[in-house]
Structure formats: C-alpha cells, structure tokens
Amino acid sequence: MTVRTAAAELTELPAYLYDLAALRAHAAEVRAALPGRVELYYAAKANPEAPILAALHGLVDGYEVSSGGELAHVHATVPDAPLAFGGPGKSPEEIAAALRLPAVRRWHVESERELRALAATADRPVDILLRANLPVGDGALHGAALAMGGRPTPFGMDPDRIEDCLALLASPGFERLRLRGVHAHLASGLTAAEQLRVAERIVGWSADLAALHRLPLHEVNVGGGMAVDYGDPDARFDWTAFGEGLDRLLARHPGLTTLRIEPGRALTAHCGWYATEVLDVKHSHGEDFAVVRGGTHHLRTPATRGHSQPFTVLPVEDWPHPWPRPAAADTRVTVSGQLCTPKDVLATRAPVAELRAGDRLLFSTAGAYAWNISHHEFLMHPRPAFHYLDGDRR
Ligand SMILES: *Cc1c(COP(=O)(O)O)cnc(C)c1O
C-alpha cells in the first residue's frame, strides 16, 4: 500500500505514517555509496522510535546515542548493536550506566571534566574519541542550518583543550582510557561538497595532532549534518559524491583505519509523513489560511527551522454538513494548527489549486526531528496515531 493510499484510508487523524521498506532501501543505498573503511552510525536523536531503529538494524554499523535515556532505549531495542555515547553534560549517573553496558563501544568525550569523571569511574578499558570544536575556515560552513562548531559553543573542546586532555591521558590514573581518535560534529544542513570540505579539515587536523604527539589516532568520526532539502522533497543528499570524496580522502590517509559518520536527519527524514485534515479555511486581511487538526505540537520541524513543510492535498469529496464548505482556490495558503499562537504554522503561503475544509493534507519529509522534538503537552490536544507501513504489511 502506498503512503498516499494509507493516508486517504485512515480513520483517525492526525497520524504519522512511516514507510519502513523505503527506509531500509534508502539506508542500503547510503551504505552502498560509502567506502568499506567508512562506518555508518545512525544518530538516534533524529528519530528514536523502536520500529525505525529496528528497521535500520543490520544496515548501519551502530547507533550514536546522546543521553542515558537514549542509551537505555536503543540498547533495549537493538541489544546486539554497537553504540557510541556522545552528548554534552553527561551526568555521573549516565556515565555509570554507560560503563555497565558493553554495547557502548565508543565514548565521545566532550570536556576535561568528563574525561576525569570517566577515568575515576571506569572499572574496565574504555575506548574514547575526543570531541573537537575546530575552526572551519574557507567558508566551509556557509549555508549550514545549525553550527555546533567553528564558533563559541558548549560542544566538544577547542584545540588547546584537546592538547590538555592528551597530557592528562598520559598521566597516572587514566590508564583505562584508550584514546582511539577524534570526533567532530560541526554543523548540520551541509551539501555533499560542504561535508567533504569539513571532513577533510577534521581528518587533516587529526593527522597533524597525531604526528605532533606521536599518537596512533586510527579513528576519526566526522559527525552527521547531511542536508535535507525541505523545499524539494524529491531531492536527496548526494551520497554517491560524498562516498567518492571520502574514498579519495581515505586514500590520502592510509593510517586511518576507521572513518565514521553519524547522520540522523538524512537517513530518516524521507521515510516519515504527517497526515491530517483541514478543519477550516479562512480569509484574513487579504490572505488565505487553512487550519488543520493537530499542528506544531505534533510536527515542530517547520517552526524550529523556519521552513514550509512540504505537503500534498488529498481531496475528500464528502461534505456531510448542511452549511457551506469553506474553501480556497488558485491561491497561496498558510497552513496553521490548533494552537493559540501565531507560531503554530506548518507551511507559509504555499500554492494550492484547491483546498476545502474536510480535505486531507499529507506532509512529507517528516521522519526526523518531527514528533520527538515537538511540545506535545501544549494546549492538551490528543496525540497523533502512528502507523508503520512495511511493503504490504500494515
Ligand atoms: C545531532 C547529531 C548528529 C546527527 O545530526 P543530523 O543533522 O541529524 O545528521 C550527529 N552527531 C552528533 C554529535 C549530533 O549531536
């Protein structure tokens, strides 16, 4: 069953629809585009729903988790999968919980405090990467939707702080921490060409650091942040060009045994849809508005990123009421939700041929940072339903 058919047949709205078969096919394509020395981890925070994590199992090399909650949930869902534990502000309880799980294969250490806490708590060898906040020159981050590095941020460590950690790691009391390499996640929303420039910077910097300190840094994790183009739902990040570029990069660094990436958004965004219905169509001060059931408390993505969420209209011919059907034709419509705030907007002045109360809207590109980043409790509306399509299985 296609997502469109499923959305038209739903009896309860709003609802999230996920196409797990499409997700697996996409992840397999991504994997096939990457060189063998590249490990693919999925950043669980993009969408941690259990069926999504399970669908990716076997297609990704592991999962990146950024909290004790994600750690417990991902491990319970895919118990045999390797995990990388990142995130700023790891609490003592989270550090202790992660140390109890052998599935945690890598730690992304974000500060000297964390390094000290980990060394003091570890009762077994722990493989770590130091998370670096590197300046990325040459306008490499131009166009990034979010920048976690290359500027003042609470993420990772500046290069001089990394040097301090190297000195600590060589001192007594830190024997259990095995430094494997460097982690950096500097920006999100980057095209393949931009990602490659950033990856080259991170790998080059790591190689220089290793040479300077005569350290065997065999691993580099260059993070996630592969762009999703919400303005063109059919567009995809150019994994082929990215994979070819990484292949060239690896050829220049034969000592690098593992280059890891940890995309979130670009893996799952395209496999999720949010279906709802138009409750009302209104004309206000010269503009048309469609008010839908649900809103940004279910799908916050357009509000946080400031974009129009792409959608298609699923016409519904039935209008069971004796009063006139509110409608707009050949116009631009702002699609808002049920919340009492002007920020509850899913799409702004989107062109529509016809839109009537009772019609359904199917928002695409809603499989990442959508439901799980939304403020569900605001105004106490009901939660959406969730449907996982898997080929012919429903
Ligand atoms: C959020 C995050 C990712 C994934 O970012 P996307 O933009 O979803 O690809 C990867 N690594 C770290 C450390 C993150 O915080």
Short mmCIF file of all heavy atoms in Angstrom, two decimals, residues 43 45-46 64 131 183 185 188 223-226 262-265 369, ligand 1:
data_model
loop_
_atom_site.label_atom_id
_atom_site.label_comp_id
_atom_site.label_asym_id
_atom_site.label_seq_id
_atom_site.Cartn_x
_atom_site.Cartn_y
_atom_site.Cartn_z
N ALA A 43 22.43 8.49 14.15
CA ALA A 43 22.24 9.36 15.31
C ALA A 43 20.78 9.23 15.77
O ALA A 43 19.87 9.78 15.15
CB ALA A 43 22.57 10.80 14.97
N LYS A 45 18.93 10.45 17.97
CA LYS A 45 18.08 11.56 18.37
C LYS A 45 17.23 12.09 17.23
O LYS A 45 16.22 12.75 17.46
CB LYS A 45 18.90 12.68 19.01
CG LYS A 45 19.59 13.63 18.05
CD LYS A 45 20.18 14.81 18.85
CE LYS A 45 20.73 15.90 17.95
NZ LYS A 45 21.99 15.53 17.28
N ALA A 46 17.59 11.79 15.98
CA ALA A 46 16.78 12.26 14.85
C ALA A 46 15.40 11.62 14.87
O ALA A 46 14.40 12.28 14.56
CB ALA A 46 17.48 11.96 13.53
N GLU A 64 24.47 6.15 17.36
CA GLU A 64 25.02 7.17 18.25
C GLU A 64 23.91 7.60 19.18
O GLU A 64 22.82 7.94 18.74
CB GLU A 64 25.53 8.37 17.42
CG GLU A 64 26.32 9.39 18.23
CD GLU A 64 25.51 10.58 18.70
OE1 GLU A 64 24.35 10.75 18.26
OE2 GLU A 64 26.01 11.34 19.54
N ARG A 131 36.06 14.87 21.48
CA ARG A 131 35.25 15.69 20.57
C ARG A 131 35.86 17.08 20.45
O ARG A 131 36.01 17.81 21.44
CB ARG A 131 33.81 15.81 21.06
CG ARG A 131 32.99 16.68 20.13
CD ARG A 131 31.51 16.64 20.42
NE ARG A 131 30.79 17.48 19.49
CZ ARG A 131 29.47 17.66 19.50
NH1 ARG A 131 28.75 17.05 20.40
NH2 ARG A 131 28.89 18.45 18.64
N HIS A 183 36.57 12.97 17.39
CA HIS A 183 35.18 13.10 16.95
C HIS A 183 34.90 14.58 16.72
O HIS A 183 35.38 15.43 17.47
CB HIS A 183 34.25 12.55 18.03
CG HIS A 183 32.79 12.84 17.79
ND1 HIS A 183 32.07 13.75 18.54
CD2 HIS A 183 31.93 12.35 16.87
CE1 HIS A 183 30.81 13.79 18.09
NE2 HIS A 183 30.71 12.96 17.09
N HIS A 185 31.45 17.04 15.22
CA HIS A 185 30.15 17.19 14.53
C HIS A 185 29.95 18.71 14.51
O HIS A 185 29.55 19.30 15.50
CB HIS A 185 29.05 16.48 15.32
CG HIS A 185 27.66 16.79 14.82
ND1 HIS A 185 27.19 16.37 13.60
CD2 HIS A 185 26.65 17.50 15.38
CE1 HIS A 185 25.93 16.81 13.44
NE2 HIS A 185 25.60 17.49 14.51
N SER A 188 25.07 21.19 10.73
CA SER A 188 24.07 20.38 10.03
C SER A 188 23.52 21.17 8.87
O SER A 188 23.59 22.40 8.84
CB SER A 188 22.97 19.93 10.98
OG SER A 188 22.01 20.94 11.13
N GLY A 223 31.04 13.09 12.15
CA GLY A 223 29.72 13.56 12.55
C GLY A 223 28.63 13.33 11.52
O GLY A 223 28.76 12.52 10.60
N GLY A 224 27.54 14.05 11.72
CA GLY A 224 26.39 13.97 10.81
C GLY A 224 26.19 15.32 10.16
O GLY A 224 27.15 16.01 9.88
N GLY A 225 24.92 15.68 9.94
CA GLY A 225 24.63 17.00 9.39
C GLY A 225 24.41 17.04 7.89
O GLY A 225 24.43 18.11 7.29
N MET A 226 24.21 15.85 7.27
CA MET A 226 23.96 15.83 5.83
C MET A 226 22.61 16.49 5.55
O MET A 226 21.60 16.20 6.21
CB MET A 226 23.96 14.38 5.32
CG MET A 226 25.32 13.69 5.38
SD MET A 226 25.78 13.35 7.12
CE MET A 226 27.45 12.74 6.93
N GLU A 262 27.93 9.81 11.29
CA GLU A 262 26.75 9.52 12.13
C GLU A 262 25.59 10.43 11.75
O GLU A 262 25.18 11.28 12.53
CB GLU A 262 27.11 9.66 13.62
CG GLU A 262 27.86 10.93 13.95
CD GLU A 262 28.32 11.02 15.41
OE1 GLU A 262 28.44 9.98 16.07
OE2 GLU A 262 28.56 12.15 15.86
N PRO A 263 25.06 10.24 10.54
CA PRO A 263 23.91 11.04 10.13
C PRO A 263 22.64 10.65 10.88
O PRO A 263 22.50 9.49 11.30
CB PRO A 263 23.76 10.73 8.63
CG PRO A 263 24.43 9.43 8.43
CD PRO A 263 25.46 9.26 9.52
N GLY A 264 21.76 11.60 11.07
CA GLY A 264 20.44 11.33 11.63
C GLY A 264 19.38 11.72 10.61
O GLY A 264 18.77 10.86 9.96
N ARG A 265 19.22 13.03 10.46
CA ARG A 265 18.15 13.56 9.62
C ARG A 265 18.10 12.96 8.22
O ARG A 265 17.04 12.52 7.76
CB ARG A 265 18.35 15.09 9.48
CG ARG A 265 17.20 15.81 8.80
CD ARG A 265 17.55 17.29 8.54
NE ARG A 265 17.94 17.99 9.74
CZ ARG A 265 17.10 18.62 10.57
NH1 ARG A 265 15.82 18.66 10.30
NH2 ARG A 265 17.56 19.24 11.65
N TYR A 369 13.40 14.61 13.52
CA TYR A 369 13.21 15.82 14.32
C TYR A 369 11.79 16.35 14.13
O TYR A 369 11.58 17.54 13.88
CB TYR A 369 14.24 16.90 13.94
CG TYR A 369 15.66 16.44 14.06
CD1 TYR A 369 16.42 16.14 12.94
CD2 TYR A 369 16.26 16.28 15.31
CE1 TYR A 369 17.72 15.70 13.04
CE2 TYR A 369 17.58 15.84 15.43
CZ TYR A 369 18.30 15.55 14.29
OH TYR A 369 19.59 15.11 14.39
C1 LIG B 1 22.52 15.57 16.13
C2 LIG B 1 23.85 14.95 15.96
C3 LIG B 1 24.11 14.16 14.84
C4 LIG B 1 23.13 13.98 13.70
O1 LIG B 1 22.93 15.19 13.05
P1 LIG B 1 21.98 15.22 11.73
O2 LIG B 1 21.97 16.66 11.35
O3 LIG B 1 20.66 14.71 12.15
O4 LIG B 1 22.62 14.35 10.70
C5 LIG B 1 25.34 13.54 14.76
N1 LIG B 1 26.27 13.69 15.74
C6 LIG B 1 26.04 14.45 16.84
C7 LIG B 1 27.09 14.57 17.85
C8 LIG B 1 24.83 15.12 16.98
O5 LIG B 1 24.63 15.87 18.05
#
